[in-house]
Amino acid sequence: MTYDAHFRVWRGDDEKGELVDYPVEVNEGEVVLDIIHRLQQTQAQDLAVRWNCKAGKCGSCSAEINGRPRLMCMTRMSTFAEDEVITVTPLRTFPVIRDLVTDVSFNYTKAREIPSFAPPPELAPGEYRMQQVDVERSQEFRKCIECYLCQNTCHVVRDHEENKENFAGPRYLMRVAELDMHPLDAADRVEAAQEEHGLGYCNITKCCTEVCPEHIKITDNALIPLKERVVDRKYDPVVWLGKKIFKR
Ligand code: SF4
Ligand code: F3S
Ligand code: FES
């Protein structure tokens, strides 16, 4: 069944722009990204949009659809009424380059600020041994496709540009948690999480978890356990010392 949907798409850059209305054909089984592509083919050849896999795996097509951060390729047109206006805007937390494409380099900067996996120097690659339970604990976090929907949604930076410098955001605090849970990682992640990556800014609103297309329990399984370890260390120096001496 084919019908014309009413699309309202942001056109412009970081300085100026406007929402432009387009009627666009929709066919059965299509997703929002299909409609954006049809719009490009038929009425707006210069519309800028970032995408790659059309399978929810590359994390490129993030946008806000009717104000909700989502992947365009995973948002079925059948979830909207045929007479509904569908508004597509770029991620609000990052500067717009053009139309639906934003500059997400904030996230690359934050990624670089986290020191990489630091195994004990006396172990050579190949000598690493891990329990299956430890492998499984971090498996969930490795599903991240770096779509940055969580980074875009977290109010700490969404509403406060000034916090960007001091806050790594949920995706990268999750990376710190993942490394801290790694039994072979010898770096001190807990203090850095609080002092350098801004863990204290997170007040566990869980908005990041709600928008994650990989359904990673960012708050419950990464951020809260990391916060608990910060508290352990702060209020129980014996636990802290024990952990330092007998690092798992
Ligand atoms: Fe996207 Fe989820 Fe990874 Fe955040 S944690 S970047 S929402 S996949
Ligand atoms: Fe932000 Fe997620 Fe914490 S939305 S406040 S990082 S729980
Ligand atoms: Fe790859 Fe949407 S195009 S996640």
Side-chain angles (χ1 to χ4, degrees), residues 144-162:
C144 174
I145 58 170
E146 307 224 290
C147 64
Y148 305 131
L149 289 178
C150 59
Q151 300 284 95
N152 170 64
T153 305
C154 177
H155 67 98
V156 174
V157 282
R158 187 174 176 93
D159 301 329
H160 301 279
E161 184 69 27
E162 70 279 10

Side-chain angles (χ1 to χ4, degrees), residues 7 12 19 38-40 62 80 119 123 130 132 139 177 221:
F7 263 58
L19 289 165
R38 182 164 300 121
L39 185 55
Q40 258 185 339
S62 303
F80 304 103
L123 281 185
M130 281 175 75
Q132 186 61 25
Q139 204 67 26
N221 292 351

